[in-house]
Amino acid sequence: MSSRPELQAPPEIFYDDVEARKYTSSSRIVGIQAELSERALELLALPDDGIPRLLLDIGCGSGLSGETISENGHQWIGLDISRSMLDIALERETDGDLILGDMGQGLGIRPGLIDGAISISAVQWLCNADKSCHEPRLRLKAFFGSLYRCLGRGARAVFQLYPENNAQRELILSFAMRAGFAGGVVIDYPHSSKKRKEYLVLTCGPPSMSTATPSAKGEDAGSCSDDESSGDEENQTAQATKEAKANKKGKTRAWVLKKKEQMRSKGNVVPPDSKYTARKRKAHF
Amino acid sequence: MRLLTHNMLSSNIKGVINGFPLRIEAERVVVKQVDFNPDFLKNMFSKIDWKALADASKIMGYAELPDEVPDPSVLDSDEFLRKFHHALLELHLEEGALVCPETGRRFPVNKGIPNMLLHEDEV
Ligand SMILES: C[S@@+](CC[C@H](N)C(=O)[O-])C[C@H]1O[C@@H](n2cnc3c(N)ncnc32)[C@H](O)[C@@H]1O
């Protein structure tokens, strides 16, 4: 049988109670999804002004990607087609609001208000026809069209995805462009079969400097084959994760302290700073 | 589901022209405290449909918001921001439904999650 979950069953069937729990209790998956989400947020390039933004997490699942959004200080609304995945998100007490919905039916969201969207390991699901009434092209059109409408002008949407092949990547990209998005594909570590990760970076509005596709990571790995450099890669990954974590924690706490100071100077009553200030919330199981 | 999300959602049924705001049927409302962030509120203020928020918070049992769209100068008032914060982010519709204003179709809300999945003939 294929190892691609997309080819095994429709998402709301594949991600049942058992799979949803298995998915979310694997520390390997938790780590990977956090890293992908962190990179997607970086590619989203939100203004660095400390103001929390309102983001969408499409195919939010059990909230692993959303947690990264919360850690970066933003608000989010998550959409997923699997009730089992959303139930786990409830258990984990994620901060975002959750909606049971099918992105292929289009997003029912008022126009022009959302500051950005991410989608981690989800959009490739749209390329399958899981029901007789499913026509992937119509579903991609409905999805990208509605996403384009609900985003503010200049806002970005970043999709980390696993296309099955070139044709699928082209198909997804072409429907994004038709909806009016500018942008393209960013491939991090293109020379490594293990670390290679693919992101669709889209901007709402006509092409301009700001819609130019950002540069990828690890593009100049030269002729190193995966096997030769795999030991090194593990190291690099660990190092990168560590840096990302330290950076994330530091930024958040510093930011909160700064905000509290600002509020105090305005004469507001603000709780005293303690070791709990801006502490990362523990996941609940 | 918070009223922030209610203020963004609209009915997506094929043929519906004005699916906003979804009418709230509140069976159970819970209040969850969240950190107060004036910057977020100030940034959201212009995006919020005020009447929808004021009406929704009333249905949820909180009648402290003005009915008319307030002048943006109120954003300097801490008292106003606290009320706005409470209505937007702390009131949760836990059980009940969202109803399409045009067709009357009910979208049930269970454990705070609205089921917005459409039937085949609604797409
Ligand atoms: C691999 S999981 C990723 C979940 C989450 N983003 C994360 O990073 O952990 C893919 C998710 O996409 C969801 N999904 C697939 N097709 C969908 C659709 N048509 N509408 C909404 N969600 C969908 C699945 O239910 C599943 O939760």
Side-chain angles (χ1 to χ4, degrees):
Chain A
M1 195 185 328
S2 157
S3 66
R4 286 183 69 84
E6 294 84 3
L7 298 180
Q8 293 177 26
E12 67 276 26
I13 309 282
F14 180 82
Y15 291 104
D16 60 5
D17 287 349
V18 174
E19 182 61 31
R21 196 166 295 280
K22 206 167 93 192
Y23 179 87
T24 318
S25 44
S26 154
S27 57
R28 187 182 67 88
I29 292 181
V30 172
I32 294 174
Q33 298 312 109
E35 209 171 309
L36 297 175
S37 312
E38 199 65 54
R39 175 70 170 137
L41 273 177
E42 186 186 355
L43 291 169
L44 208 52
L46 295 167
D48 190 16
D49 53 11
I51 299 177
R53 296 301 199 281
L54 178 60
L55 308 181
L56 293 181
D57 185 356
I58 295 151
C60 64
S62 51
L64 298 181
S65 37
E67 256 158 43
T68 302
I69 302 181
S70 299
E71 281 165 22
N72 281 273
H74 301 292
Q75 296 281 346
W76 56 277
I77 300 174
L79 176 93
D80 205 281
I81 198 171
S82 157
R83 177 75 208 202
S84 302
M85 288 293 258
L86 295 176
D87 279 336
I88 304 272
L90 282 182
E91 262 180 48
R92 296 168 61 84
E93 298 185 21
T94 52
D95 290 321
D97 272 345
L98 307 168
I99 297 170
L100 180 60
D102 176 357
M103 59 175 142
Q105 296 181 335
L107 311 170
I109 297 186
R110 283 204 291 140
L113 301 177
I114 304 292
D115 298 314
I118 65 164
S119 174
I120 309 299
S121 324
V123 169
Q124 71 275 355
W125 281 95
L126 273 187
C127 298
N128 303 322
D130 290 320
K131 293 184 183 160
S132 59
C133 63
H134 278 187
E135 169 46 65
R137 289 168 178 273
L138 288 181
R139 288 167 56 74
L140 284 163
K141 180 165 178 246
F143 170 62
F144 281 112
S146 62
L147 178 68
Y148 187 87
R149 284 189 295 277
C150 77
L151 290 173
R153 290 306 86 130
R156 277 188 178 179
V158 177
F159 304 84
Q160 181 275 323
L161 39 86
Y162 296 110
E164 192 179 348
N165 48 41
N166 275 329
Q168 211 173 67
R169 179 183 308 107
E170 290 299 316
L171 183 71
I172 295 174
L173 193 57
S174 73
F175 276 95
M177 299 297 147
R178 259 199 244 179
F181 283 108
V185 180
V186 172
I187 302 180
D188 286 350
Y189 308 106
H191 310 288
S192 157
S193 60
K194 235 167 58 191
K195 281 177 70 186
R196 184 183 192 283
K197 287 288 167 335
E198 178 159 347
Y199 301 82
L200 193 54
V201 181
L202 304 173
T203 308
C204 225
S208 71
M209 283 296 280
S210 70
T211 62
T213 311
S215 54
K217 287 186 182 173
E219 262 186 326
D220 42 3
S223 59
C224 290
S225 83
D226 287 336
D227 306 278
E228 281 165 7
S229 58
S230 63
D232 243 24
E233 277 174 17
E234 294 284 31
N235 256 328
Q236 282 170 11
T237 321
Q239 188 58 28
T241 320
K242 226 170 161 182
E243 271 166 23
K245 278 211 181 109
N247 179 16
K248 201 159 64 193
K249 217 170 169 186
K251 189 163 123 200
T252 315
R253 184 172 154 87
W255 180 79
V256 171
L257 290 175
K258 193 183 94 208
K259 285 291 150 194
K260 289 175 83 171
E261 207 40 60
Q262 281 174 1
M263 301 232 317
R264 275 190 204 102
S265 66
K266 286 185 193 160
N268 292 331
V269 181
V270 179
D273 302 330
S274 73
K275 65 175 179 177
Y276 298 112
T277 305
R279 187 185 58 168
K280 178 175 161 357
R281 282 176 209 170
K282 279 276 166 295
H284 293 261
F285 286 98
Chain B
M1 187 199 67
R2 302 166 293 182
L3 294 187
L4 168 67
T5 300
H6 171 258
N7 212 277
M8 297 294 135
L9 278 183
S10 92
S11 164
N12 198 24
I13 300 170
K14 186 168 123 191
V16 166
I17 294 169
N18 196 354
F20 180 85
L22 293 155
R23 192 157 48 75
I24 294 180
E25 285 178 8
E27 280 163 32
R28 203 161 87 82
V29 174
V30 297
V31 174
K32 298 183 198 166
Q33 282 204 355
V34 297
D35 295 344
F36 177 64
N37 188 313
D39 288 337
F40 178 71
L41 297 169
K42 287 176 190 173
N43 198 42
M44 279 312 294
F45 179 74
S46 61
K47 302 179 175 188
I48 291 296
D49 182 298
W50 191 263
K51 189 171 163 13
L53 178 67
D55 288 351
S57 64
K58 245 183 244 164
I59 293 170
M60 306 269 279
Y62 184 73
E64 300 291 312
L65 295 185
D67 285 325
E68 295 303 315
V69 185
D71 186 88
S73 64
V74 293
L75 293 172
D76 294 330
S77 150
D78 190 59
E79 192 195 340
F80 172 80
L81 286 177
R82 298 263 168 197
K83 289 178 180 170
F84 183 30
H85 168 78
H86 183 70
L88 195 68
L89 299 171
E90 296 190 322
L91 296 175
H92 287 246
L93 179 61
E94 195 67 11
E95 298 291 333
L98 303 175
V99 183
C100 170
E102 240 178 70
T103 62
R105 151 80 139 94
R106 284 177 92 248
F107 297 95
V109 178
N110 300 117
K111 291 198 278 175
I113 301 179
N115 178 348
M116 304 304 290
L117 289 169
L118 299 178
H119 305 135
E120 252 174 64
D121 59 354
E122 295 172 328
V123 183

